[in-house]
Each structure stands twice: as structure tokens, then as C-alpha cells.
Amino acid sequence: MRISELSRRSAVPTATIKYYLREGLLPPGRATAATQAEYDESHLRRLRLVRALIGVRGLSVSATREVLGAVAEHAGERHQVLGLVLGARPVDEDAPAPGPAPEPAPEPAPGAAEVDALIGALGWEVSEYAPARAALGETLETLRSLGAALDPATLRGYAELAERTAVLDLDQLDPDADPLEQAERALLRTVLLEPALLALRRLAQENESTRRGG
């Protein structure tokens, strides 16, 4: 397809596509003349993923380039690709520590022990590098400091609800689809659906309060 067709099908302006080409976010098309090129379905899939990473997840151009590079390294590994695109796996997870000597062991993150215990009790397989570990630990510590700590049973109940949500999330992905297409769909569903999940929780809380209060 010509770049005009690529723009129409992706809903990305031609000028933006040319910018992505210059920045290396999109591979060049097959040259057909000195100033013309043709693009195929792989360009369309990658362009849609670029749009989602920048426009939906809010990454910068340089961060998007890093994510795409890591995705290329793990091509064919669906689990890794989804983790990289969703931010569940850091791009430089396997990078060696900088400097000639290893850094001293850092202090345990807030709530880390509680999070580790929860993950172990549930039997979840979660990377030690997952950013959500730190986010959950910090939230639990904040609740504790405000006198609203969650007891282990309540925390596990929330985790089991999240597990059921994750099953629904992954069930929406076509296992036979191209990995980039899967990644784009997972990113859109994860980021854009989160406000809807919060709204559903608020509606359910109102309903439950009404039911209990008559």
C-alpha cells in the first residue's frame, strides 16, 4: 500500500508516519521510486502499536523506540512481548549492573515482604522485576500508616478478584493473531478499560450499600 493508504487504515496522519519513519519507530517501506515506497500489513500492525504506546500508554518517542527494540528481541515470545508493551516487564530487565563492581543490596521496598507472601500463597508466577510489586507494596504501606491496613484474608480476596479479571483480559486475545496485533489489543484493553472497571466498582458499591441499607 502507499503511505496515503497506510495513513487511512491506521488513522495516523501522513506527516506523523513520516516522523515515525525518521525516528526509526517504523521500518522503511519497499522503495518503488526515488521518493516513493510501498508498505504492507506488518507496517500497519507496527504503526498501530506505536500509536497505542505513545497515545494511550503515554510513552515518549525514545521510550517507545526502546520498547519496540526489546519487543523485536523477544519476537515469538508472546508472554514477554505483552509484558514489555504493558510495562509489566522492564525493557532492561537482563541488563548487567553498571560499573566495575556490583551495587550494594538495596533496602527492601515498602511492603515487599507482604507482597511476596501474597504471591507465594496464591502460587502466582510473577517476575521479581514487575513494577506492580513495588506499587502494591507502597499502597499497602500507605494504608497501614493511615490506620486502614488490609488484613491478609481481605487482601487475598481482592487478589482473587484480580485473578478472575486477568482471565477475562487474556481470554479476549486471539491466540492466532500476529504478536504485534495482540500487544496492541492488550494495551488498549488494559489502559482504556481501567476507568470502566473503576466505574463498575463504584456502581456495585452503591448497589450493595442500597441493598444493605434498605
Side-chain angles (χ1 to χ4, degrees), residues 92-99 101-103 129:
D92 58 349
E93 177 177 321
D94 299 321
E103 297 289 335
Y129 301 102

Side-chain angles (χ1 to χ4, degrees), residues 17-31:
I17 295 176
K18 291 180 178 179
Y19 172 67
Y20 291 163
L21 287 165
R22 291 195 301 271
E23 292 295 321
L25 300 183
L26 197 65
R30 183 178 66 86

Side-chain angles (χ1 to χ4, degrees), residues 6 8 10 31 44 52-53 56-57 61 63 85 90 110 115 138 154 166 170 173 181-185 187 193 199 208:
L6 182 61
R8 186 188 68 79
S10 65
L44 180 60
L53 288 169
V56 176
R57 192 176 156 195
V61 169
V85 168
V115 173
E138 290 171 3
T154 300
L170 277 260
L173 300 182
E181 184 178 338
Q182 289 184 345
E184 182 221 7
R185 179 59 60 87
L187 178 56
L193 193 58
E208 183 63 14

Side-chain angles (χ1 to χ4, degrees), residues 79 88-89 115-116 119-120 123-133:
H79 177 63
R89 294 292 178 92
V115 173
D116 289 344
I119 291 173
W124 286 0
E125 297 182 26
V126 180
S127 168
E128 62 180 303
Y129 301 102
R133 282 179 175 267

Side-chain angles (χ1 to χ4, degrees), residues 35-55:
T35 59
Q36 293 183 357
E38 287 185 345
Y39 304 88
D40 57 25
E41 294 295 324
S42 66
H43 289 90
L44 180 60
R45 287 190 292 267
R46 184 173 173 116
L47 182 56
R48 285 174 171 164
L49 178 57
V50 169
R51 180 189 61 177
L53 288 169
I54 293 176

Side-chain angles (χ1 to χ4, degrees), residues 169-191:
D169 289 338
L170 277 260
D171 282 348
Q172 303 307 306
L173 300 182
D174 180 358
D176 299 321
D178 178 88
L180 293 186
E181 184 178 338
Q182 289 184 345
E184 182 221 7
R185 179 59 60 87
L187 178 56
L188 293 176
R189 287 289 179 90
T190 297
V191 176

Side-chain angles (χ1 to χ4, degrees), residues 3-4 13 21 60 84 87 94 96 113 119 137 165:
I3 194 170
S4 57
L21 287 165
S60 65
L84 289 164
D94 299 321
I119 291 173
T165 302

